[in-house]
Amino acid sequence: MRFLRLVTGLTCAFMLQAQAAPVDEYMKVLPDGANLALLVQKVGASAPLIDYHGKQMALPASTMKVITALAALLELGGDYRFQTTFETKGALVDGTLNGDLVARFAGDPTLSRQDLRNMVAALKKQGVTHIKGNLVIDTSVFASHDMAPGWPWNDLTQCFSAPPGAAIVDKNCFSVSLYSADTPGENAFVRIASYYPAHMLSQVRTIGRNSGEGQYCELDVVPGELNRYTLTGCMRQRADPLPLAFAVQDGAAWAGEILKSELQAADIDYSGHLVRQTQATPPATVLASTQSAPLHTLLHKMLKKSDNMIADTVFRTIGHHYFNVPGTFRAGSDAVRRILKQKADIDMGNSIQVDGSGLSRHDLVSPDTMMQVLQYIAKNDSTLDYISMLPLAGYDGTLQYRGGLHEAGLDGKVSAKTGSLQGVYNLAGFMTTSSGARVAFVQFLSGYAVPPEDQRQRRIPLVRFESRLYSDINKNN
């Protein structure tokens, strides 16, 4: 028996070494210095088909959402809904609400201005015309920073990384138009729609169309308190305005001003102040409410479109729900680790997960750990209905135009989550091969860089690599 085990072990080792050589061949088409960790394993199999640095830690980027979604389904359930309420401890007498109106936000990443408008209409229908008290914006469901450790500072004002706070309205993103001045040297001017409760100041200098300075002319935005922003730098003269979009930095102030505006439009006034409540208080009488779509629907959008806002509000909500404390990124991280171990027997080991979206440069996961997650998903997909939420190659989401999979003839045969950061091109998901076999795979590709003169064609090596690799996996399994 001992001899048999030794022979089997040597055979497996030989197989893995034999698999590594072809992967090195595929890598020859990648730019110099690129790093790859790759794991391919049939669903339900006990050993991988390809193990190329499978235990090597790597930036997961948005493939981290695969882990977040699984933990959310296990802890919250697919029917969970975010609920936003208007509450009060006061009594309504002759149109006057004698007490504070508390708008309790729960981190709903899909809450819209129209939702708040409908809630205000419900107040009006009940006869409320005056609030004898404060307008309270309750954000106590979450605590601490609304930005995770390791998020690049220069992404924080970009809408794709809008801080996932408790109060979110219209994705906490707004747009402006920047107009160059008629005369070089003068400041450009900015226009913002009146319905956006944000303030923009332009210190952007206009330069001539042919100015040599233009090559290194950059725009910067400096956020201030209460969603006040200053645009600095310079811009070339242009005939059309430059469209820009920015992330809201103070969600509570943003939501509060929108709610104040909607109350005014409905002829409902209040005698107190607009205040923020950060300490949890017992629920009061609910006057109006709205709720999100079921969690499964939100996760479908999160995975298909790689929605960071959904991922990180869900992540913080997992921590809130599991520990019964205000949701923080740290609570979310600890909760996900425990949930996966207790409910799925998945050991996160020395993985680092500081957010739900994968935006953080602190995140580290190995293909081996991600493969545990994928195998559990495949095994339990009849109850989770998970794989249908992943982008489908050639059809939708972030895989609709994935060139390498298309050239490999895998449109409709690969369901996988993408993950992209600067120099990172990841994939994690499932393939149905030409023989009908179901294969799970994890590709963590980093250190991807091309010379400046090749920037416009920078994806060509990636397309060649993925086309050859996945075509062969498809044909040989």
Side-chain angles (χ1 to χ4, degrees):
M1 180 63 71
R2 185 175 180 182
F3 175 76
L4 178 60
R5 288 176 180 169
L6 179 60
V7 170
T8 302
L10 290 173
T11 301
C12 289
F14 175 78
M15 289 176 63
L16 291 179
Q17 290 174 2
Q19 299 279 4
V23 175
D24 284 331
E25 290 298 316
Y26 299 125
M27 287 190 67
K28 288 181 179 179
V29 302
L30 292 174
D32 291 341
N35 300 309
L36 176 68
L38 176 70
L39 202 57
V40 181
Q41 185 171 328
K42 286 187 177 180
V43 168
S46 58
L49 297 167
I50 301 175
D51 185 344
Y52 188 82
H53 306 308
K55 295 187 182 299
Q56 178 175 291
M57 304 296 277
L59 283 169
S62 282
T63 64
M64 183 66 87
K65 294 181 177 73
V66 174
I67 297 174
T68 302
L70 177 58
L73 289 173
L74 294 176
E75 175 64 17
L76 304 173
D79 294 328
Y80 176 88
R81 295 172 186 259
F82 291 90
Q83 188 168 27
T84 306
T85 57
F86 288 170
E87 304 174 10
T88 189
K89 293 182 180 179
L92 179 61
V93 180
D94 296 330
T96 296
L97 182 62
N98 293 290
D100 296 339
L101 178 67
V102 179
R104 192 185 296 270
F105 292 88
D108 182 352
T110 60
L111 185 72
S112 69
R113 186 171 191 141
Q114 185 62 52
D115 291 328
L116 291 181
R117 185 173 297 161
N118 293 342
M119 293 171 70
V120 169
L123 288 182
K124 192 72 173 180
K125 190 174 182 179
Q126 295 173 58
V128 177
T129 58
H130 177 67
I131 300 167
K132 193 175 182 180
N134 295 321
L135 179 57
V136 181
I137 306 301
D138 188 308
T139 59
S140 60
V141 67
F142 293 162
S144 189
H145 299 290
D146 289 334
M147 293 161 282
W151 284 6
W153 67 269
N154 54 319
D155 285 347
L156 296 180
T157 55
Q158 303 297 311
C159 286
F160 68 80
S161 61
I168 301 166
V169 182
D170 291 338
K171 300 181 180 179
N172 282 8
C173 176
F174 66 95
S175 58
V176 303
S177 296
L178 184 64
Y179 295 77
S180 60
D182 293 333
T183 305
E186 294 183 355
N187 277 356
F189 63 97
V190 63
R191 286 180 178 171
I192 178 172
S194 59
Y195 50 80
Y196 287 137
H199 305 275
M200 300 293 301
L201 173 66
S202 172
Q203 295 180 353
V204 177
R205 183 168 51 86
T206 302
I207 63 174
R209 288 184 173 85
N210 299 318
S211 171
E213 185 182 356
Q215 181 179 358
Y216 298 104
C217 186
E218 297 185 5
L219 287 175
D220 291 309
V221 61
V222 181
E225 294 183 352
L226 301 177
N227 297 312
R228 298 178 182 273
Y229 301 77
T230 302
L231 284 170
T232 65
C234 55
M235 70 177 297
R236 289 183 184 273
Q237 279 185 310
R238 49 186 291 150
D240 299 320
L242 178 66
L244 300 169
F246 300 106
V248 171
Q249 302 300 298
D250 188 338
W254 172 261
E257 290 297 327
I258 290 177
L259 179 53
K260 177 181 175 181
S261 175
E262 291 301 324
L263 288 170
Q264 290 174 343
D267 293 323
I268 301 175
D269 61 6
Y270 60 94
S271 59
H273 302 281
L274 179 62
V275 298
R276 180 177 181 179
Q277 172 69 39
T278 59
Q279 299 298 317
T281 57
T285 302
V286 175
L287 300 176
S289 67
T290 188
Q291 59 183 9
S292 70
L295 179 67
H296 197 279
T297 301
L298 300 186
L299 295 180
H300 182 278
K301 179 181 179 182
M302 179 191 85
L303 292 169
K304 291 283 188 184
K305 302 297 185 181
S306 203
D307 191 298
N308 297 317
M309 179 72 81
I310 295 176
D312 285 314
T313 53
V314 166
F315 185 71
R316 298 179 78 178
T317 300
I318 292 171
H320 165 65
H321 191 271
Y322 185 86
F323 292 113
N324 194 28
V325 299
T328 65
F329 283 99
R330 182 176 177 183
S333 177
D334 289 349
V336 167
R337 181 176 291 270
R338 295 189 188 190
I339 290 163
L340 292 183
K341 183 60 179 176
Q342 293 167 357
K343 299 185 178 183
D345 196 28
I346 295 172
D347 188 354
M348 292 284 284
N350 61 336
S351 300
I352 299 174
Q353 181 178 14
V354 302
D355 63 7
S357 61
L359 282 173
S360 177
R361 292 284 178 164
H362 291 187
D363 291 330
L364 286 174
V365 178
S366 70
D368 184 70
T369 298
M370 186 65 75
M371 182 58 71
Q372 290 184 61
V373 175
L374 294 177
Q375 290 290 339
Y376 181 87
I377 289 169
K379 181 180 178 181
N380 296 277
D381 195 47
S382 60
T383 55
L384 293 174
D385 188 17
Y386 191 117
I387 297 176
S388 66
M389 300 190 295
L390 293 169
L392 182 63
Y395 284 86
D396 60 25
T398 55
L399 278 188
Q400 186 170 1
Y401 303 108
R402 191 80 172 198
L405 298 181
H406 175 72
E407 288 195 4
L410 292 173
D411 287 352
K413 298 179 181 179
V414 171
S415 297
K417 183 70 196 75
T418 57
S420 300
L421 292 170
Q422 183 67 38
V424 174
Y425 294 101
N426 294 344
L427 287 172
F430 306 93
M431 174 196 299
T432 301
T433 68
S434 57
S435 68
R438 298 193 68 198
V439 172
F441 63 92
V442 183
Q443 167 190 309
F444 286 163
L445 176 61
S446 62
Y448 186 104
V450 299
E453 61 270 18
D454 294 337
Q455 276 300 311
R456 290 189 177 183
Q457 295 83 31
R458 64 184 178 277
R459 284 180 174 262
I460 291 178
L462 175 70
V463 171
R464 291 173 179 167
F465 166 76
E466 291 183 348
S467 174
R468 297 175 187 181
L469 172 64
Y470 293 106
S471 176
D472 285 351
I473 292 174
N474 176 47
K475 295 174 183 176
N476 297 330
N477 294 284

